[in-house]
Amino acid sequence: MNNQEIAKLLRSVATALTLKKASIFQIRAYETASDAIEHSTSEVRDLWQEKRLDEIPGVGVSLQAHLEELFKTGSVKHFEQLKKDFPKVVFELIDIPGVGPKTALELAKLGVKSFEDLKLKINSGELVKKGFSAKIAEKISLGLKETQNRTGRMLLPFADAKAQKIVDYLKKIPGVVAADSLGSLRRQVVTIGDLDFAAASKNPKQTIDQFVKMPEVKRIIDQGENRGTVILDSGLQIDLLVGQPDTYGALLQHFTGSKHHNIKLRSFAEKKNLSLSEYGVKNTKTNKVVPILKESELYEMLGMQTPPPEIREDNGEIEAALAHKLPSLVELKDIKGDFHLHSNFPMVHPSHGPGANSIEEIIKRAINLRYDYVGISDHPPGFRTTSEKELLSILHKRTKEIEQLKSSYQKSIRVLNGLEIDILSDGTLSVPNEVLANLDYSIAGVHSVHRMEKDKMTKRILKALENPEVDILAHPTGRLLNERDSYDVDWEVIFEFAAKKNKIMEINAFPNRLDLRDDLVRLALKFKAKFIVNTDAHEISQMENMKYGISVARRGWLESKDVVNSWDWKRVLKWFKIKKS
DNA sequence: GCCGTTTTCGGCCCGACTGTTTTCAGTCG
C-alpha cells in the first residue's frame, strides 16, 4: 500500500467520523495524519519496516497500531467498522473538489453509484430535480471534470520553470511590489502538487482580478478580496494570496507552511498570548495586530531563530529554533566539485547510457561553475559483452586521456579519474579490483535486479561497500520519482557501516532521483555518515541540477562539514587518499 | 486521536470563499 492509498484510507475514516458526528478533534487528527502521509517524502511502508512511524507528525500510538495492522493484514478492523455504515461511493465522491462528507452522503442518498452515474444524473437534470441547487450541481460537475484530468505531482525543474513565469506575470501587475512562489516549492519538496504564490500590493483586489485573467487559466475556482485559485489548461492548480506590503513577512511565513509547521508554531504562540496569521501577529489580550515586514521578525517575536524553509516540516525544527540550535545548512555556493559525471568517451559496449559531451567539455563547464575539482565517472564497458583484456585496454586509453587533460587544466581545476560501477546481484562488482585500484575513486550502485528481499538487498549493498576500492554508494535507494519505489534495505545497518568505514552516501541530484531521500539523509546523519551531492549529469547542462541535490541535503539537515564535495581540495585529497594530484 | 517551554489531562491554528445564510454550514488551504 503506497502513501496515496494510505492517505485516502485515513481520509475515508475522517469522513466516516464526520458523518457519525464524532469529535471534531478526532476527525481533525485523522485529516492531519492523512495530509502528513500524503505529503511525506518517504514511503510510510518503509518507515514502518524501519520502526520509524512515530516520526510522522500527527501519527501517535493509536494510529501506529492501526498502520501496523494495515501492513500486516491488508486492512484495519476498526476502520472497516466505522466505514460500514455508509455506502462505499461516499468515500470516492469526497475526491471531487468541493464535495465533502455531507455532500457526498447526500449524493449517495439520491442513488449516485459512481462518478459516471453522477455525471449522468447532473446532465439529465435529475440532481436539480431532487433538490440540489443548479449552482451546486454546476460546481460538482466542474469538480468532477477536474478529478478526471488531474495531473500527477511535478518534478522540481518543471515546477520551478512554471512558477518563475507566474512570478514574472504577477510582478508586472500594477501596484504589485513583491511576488514569490511559496508552499512546497519554496520548501523544495521533491515533487510538487500545486503552486502557491504570494504578492504584496496596496490594492489586493485589483491584483486578484488580473491574476485570474492570466493566460492558460481554464477555470476560476475562487476569486475573493485577497485570494484567488485557478486551474490552468494543463490541470495545474494555482493559489495566490495578496497582502499589504507592510505585513508581507507574515504572508510569506503563512503560505510557505508546512501546515504542520504552522500549526505547531501557532499553538506555541498562543501560549505567549500571540495569534499568528497571514495578517501579522495579534496580541490576544489587546487584540492589536503587529505587522510583520520580514519573515524573520515573526520568529524573533516568538523568541526563536528562523528555520530555513526546507526544514519547516515539524520534524524538530521548532524545538531547535527555540533552543537557538538550528544547523547552519549547506548551501549551493559551498559546493566545490561534482564527482558523478558521464562523458561520451567510447566504451564500445557501455553497461549503461553514456553521456553526450566529451570529458574536456565537462571540465570546461566545471571551470565555468567555479568548481575546484571535478570527477569523471563513466560506466565501464559491460562485463558480459567485453573481455577483461578489452576492458583493460579501453580503460587504459581513457586514463591516458584523463591524465593529459589533468595536466592541461591543472592551473584551473583538479580532474579526477573515476568510474560508476555496478553492484551485481550477489554484491560483487562489475569490474575487477585491479582496475579500480588504478582510479582516483569509484562509485558503486545497484543498476539491475532492483526487487529483492530486504535482507538480501542489505547484504548485497553491504558486501559492495566492504570492498576497499568502493568510495561512494550511488543513488542508494534506487527510487525513481513517479516511477519506482525505493529498495527494501535495512538502512541503519548500511549507515552504521558507512560511517565506520568512511563510505560516502551519494545524494544524487538528478530531478527524478533525489536519492538518498531527505528522511534517510537525516537518519544517516545520526550515524555520522558523510555525504556527497552529485548531479549524475549525462549532458553538461544537467550539471546545473546541483541545486536540487543541495535542497535534499538541506531538507536532511546537512551542514557543510557533512558534505565531502563542499570541502577544500586538500581535505578531499586526503579523504580519497589520492597520490597524484 | 494527538501532544507537552504552564498540562500525561485537557486543550486542540487561523482564516477565506461559496451559496443563499439573514447569522451560518460546508469546504478548503
Side-chain angles (χ1 to χ4, degrees), chain A residues 101 232 241 326 363 409 421 511 523 572:
Chain A
L232 301 185
L241 291 185
L326 279 178
I363 293 170
Y409 285 94
I421 51 187
L523 181 67
V572 167

Side-chain angles (χ1 to χ4, degrees), chain A residues 129 133 323:
Chain A
K129 224 181 285 168
S133 81

Side-chain angles (χ1 to χ4, degrees), chain A residues 64-133:
Chain A
Q64 282 175 52
H66 290 323
L67 289 175
E68 172 100 21
E69 186 184 341
L70 181 67
F71 291 126
K72 281 189 171 158
T73 70
S75 69
V76 182
K77 281 196 183 123
H78 179 55
F79 293 174
E80 297 311 315
Q81 190 67 26
L82 287 168
K83 286 169 65 183
K84 77 169 173 30
D85 294 335
F86 306 100
K88 275 200 178 129
V89 70
V90 167
F91 306 111
E92 300 301 323
L93 293 172
I94 54 166
D95 278 350
I96 302 170
V99 176
K102 311 261 163 103
T103 314
L105 184 60
E106 262 186 75
L107 289 169
K109 280 182 179 165
L110 289 188
V112 170
K113 294 275 178 272
S114 64
F115 280 13
E116 209 42 48
D117 187 31
L118 175 61
K119 207 196 244 169
L120 283 173
K121 286 191 160 70
I122 293 170
N123 292 342
S124 68
E126 192 181 335
L127 222 55
V128 175
K129 224 181 285 168
K130 288 187 173 171
F132 270 80
S133 81

Side-chain angles (χ1 to χ4, degrees), chain A residues 50 423 444 446 453-466 470-477 487-506 515-516 520 523-531:
Chain A
E50 292 155 19
I423 300 175
V446 170
E453 275 173 38
K454 183 176 181 173
D455 191 42
K456 271 180 106 177
M457 188 60 106
T458 307
K459 282 186 181 146
R460 174 183 180 184
I461 294 175
L462 210 53
K463 183 167 177 191
L465 290 181
E466 279 165 359
V470 170
D471 300 293
I472 300 168
L473 180 63
H475 39 71
T477 82
Y487 317 135
D488 266 352
V489 176
D490 190 337
W491 290 110
E492 302 205 352
V493 170
I494 302 292
F495 296 152
E496 191 177 3
F497 181 85
K500 206 165 76 187
K501 297 289 183 181
N502 289 347
K503 304 293 176 174
I504 306 169
M505 295 294 111
E506 177 179 78
D515 177 10
L516 207 57
L520 289 177
L523 181 67
L525 183 62
K526 284 185 189 148
F527 286 92
K528 298 191 171 24
K530 292 287 181 254
F531 303 83

Side-chain angles (χ1 to χ4, degrees), chain A residues 150-164:
Chain A
R150 207 172 256 168
T151 52
R153 295 183 68 85
M154 295 170 276
L155 297 182
L156 280 171
F158 184 87
D160 260 348
K162 196 86 207 168
Q164 191 52 53

Side-chain angles (χ1 to χ4, degrees), chain A residues 22 77 97 108 118 121 152 157 165 189 200 235 268 280 307 359 379 388-389 412 426 476 509 522 542 557:
Chain A
K77 281 196 183 123
L118 175 61
K121 286 191 160 70
K165 275 190 186 167
V189 180
F268 174 73
I359 297 174
H379 293 291
E388 189 162 334
K389 199 177 151 202
S412 318
D426 62 356
R522 190 112 186 259
Q542 294 168 351
W557 292 52

